[in-house]
Amino acid sequence: MMDHIQRFMFDDTNVRGEVATLADTFGEVVARHDYPAGIRRQLGELLAAAALLTTTIKLDGVLSLEVRGKGAATLLMAESNPGNEERAQSLRAVARFDEHADIASDISLADLMGEGHIVMTLDPRDGQRYQGIVALDSDTLAGCLEHYFSQSEQLPTRLWLAAGEHAAGGLLLQTLPDDQSSKDPDAWNRSTKLAETVKSDELLSLEPTELLYRLYHEEQIRVFDPAPLSFGCTCSRERFAAALLSMGETELRETLETRQAIDTQCHFCNTSYHFSAADIEHLIENPGAPSPTVH
């Protein structure tokens, strides 16, 4: 089953939805880190939510979801980068947690994070960066995000998220604002009640079209072309070189007095980048030049 997101709409109503399936993407994320099962499950749900919300908001830019807390885990983060005709929408995720904590496989988000909040950041290619914050006032990520939409977007929105050992997935329903073409005032109540029957294993194992048929075979649904999803990290040697330069020449030279090289690592994908003393000197002397290659 290829990872993708499936948009759909109920004909003659103001109700729309999406289904996301992430098997390879989720596998790529967890393969790079030794996460406990409880962390993997919550991170999988966050990945699915990031995929769904990027399409929902129709963002041409980067969307990130950060869950910050003071519990056994202090950070869960998922980031979505937009796709185009040539490449899939890409996602990556990372977690920070107490490696000595006893984290149960079925731990709730509230118990895992403790007191905290969720930060949604929208960074469009063109336009201003936006951040929205919502408290961790629900045991589930879906409940917290539904609260966010009711507060900020004022659009009725429901989410169903799931993650297992090998896959993550989600279903989103939302009403369109001020849609005068709706001929079915009961569509929202009916579609959400039917969605409430969905099981986690269905979100994780069924193709989106099969899932939609099981839930809504008596409804008139318009299904759009699916859009691919994949794992993708935006780290690069050039980005790490720029980060090193931001430290300033003095600090870089002081660092090289005690170390012969600087080694860095991407927290998302665990890719390592090595900068020798000669590399650092090249960066200092040629700040606008391309990043030096590995020596």
Side-chain angles (χ1 to χ4, degrees):
M1 182 172 60
M2 296 292 291
D3 291 359
H4 59 275
I5 192 161
Q6 180 70 69
R7 295 171 52 238
F8 63 94
M9 178 174 288
F10 295 87
D11 284 342
D12 298 323
T13 78
N14 63 343
V15 181
R16 59 176 296 281
E18 300 161 7
V19 180
T21 57
L22 302 100
D24 292 342
T25 304
F26 178 62
E28 289 279 358
V29 168
V30 299
R32 285 167 165 76
H33 303 273
D34 186 18
Y35 291 138
I39 294 286
R40 291 200 304 268
R41 184 171 59 84
Q42 295 295 343
L43 206 57
E45 291 192 8
L46 197 66
L47 271 172
L52 291 166
L53 295 182
T54 299
T55 304
T56 299
I57 299 171
K58 297 180 180 179
L59 176 68
D60 183 19
V62 179
L63 177 145
S64 66
L65 285 176
E66 295 179 61
V67 186
R68 297 187 173 272
K70 301 177 181 179
T74 56
L75 174 70
L76 301 175
M77 180 180 179
E79 183 181 275
S80 169
N81 284 271
N84 55 32
E85 294 181 356
E86 298 179 355
R87 67 176 187 272
Q89 176 185 336
S90 64
L91 298 121
R92 62 180 188 169
V94 71
R96 294 177 187 163
F97 64 100
D98 181 355
E99 296 182 2
H100 303 291
D102 184 15
I103 300 175
S105 60
D106 60 348
I107 192 170
S108 70
L109 182 67
D111 289 339
L112 176 64
M113 305 302 297
E115 181 183 352
H117 56 272
I118 298 176
V119 180
M120 181 189 297
T121 304
L122 310 179
D123 195 1
R125 296 178 194 265
D126 299 310
Q128 293 186 335
R129 192 167 181 261
Y130 167 82
Q131 277 193 336
I133 300 176
V134 63
L136 284 176
D137 54 3
S138 173
D139 284 342
T140 67
L141 175 64
C144 293
L145 292 175
E146 288 173 359
H147 187 206
Y148 168 83
F149 273 93
S150 67
Q151 284 187 322
S152 62
E153 302 293 331
Q154 297 182 342
L155 294 174
T157 304
R158 294 291 310 275
L159 289 116
W160 293 263
L161 303 169
E165 186 175 354
H166 302 294
L171 166 66
L172 178 145
L173 292 177
Q174 187 177 69
T175 60
L176 297 171
D178 302 324
D179 190 349
Q180 302 300 318
S181 64
S182 177
K183 301 176 183 178
D184 188 348
D186 189 50
W188 175 249
N189 290 331
R190 192 170 64 253
S191 60
T192 54
K193 286 187 179 300
L194 290 170
E196 287 169 357
T197 67
V198 72
K199 298 178 175 59
S200 293
D201 62 344
E202 292 177 320
L203 287 172
L204 300 178
S205 62
L206 296 180
E207 285 281 358
T209 51
E210 183 179 354
L211 177 67
L212 292 175
Y213 179 78
R214 286 196 184 187
L215 292 175
Y216 300 121
H217 58 274
E218 294 183 356
E219 304 289 329
Q220 294 295 318
I221 291 184
R222 195 185 330 160
V223 178
F224 300 91
D225 291 337
L229 302 170
S230 69
F231 172 81
C233 192
T234 57
C235 73
S236 68
R237 186 171 177 80
E238 288 70 22
R239 288 194 174 196
F240 276 98
L244 290 175
L245 275 175
S246 69
M247 294 168 56
E249 178 180 345
T250 301
E251 186 172 349
L252 282 175
R253 293 195 186 281
E254 289 176 351
T255 300
L256 289 178
E257 289 178 0
T258 57
R259 299 160 59 182
Q260 296 302 308
I262 297 177
D263 291 294
T264 60
Q265 187 176 50
C266 176
H267 295 302
F268 286 94
C269 67
N270 274 344
T271 300
S272 296
Y273 296 93
H274 177 82
F275 292 86
S276 68
D279 292 333
I280 299 301
E281 287 294 340
H282 179 85
L283 288 174
I284 294 172
E285 297 298 330
N286 304 276
S291 172
T293 57
V294 178
H295 287 267

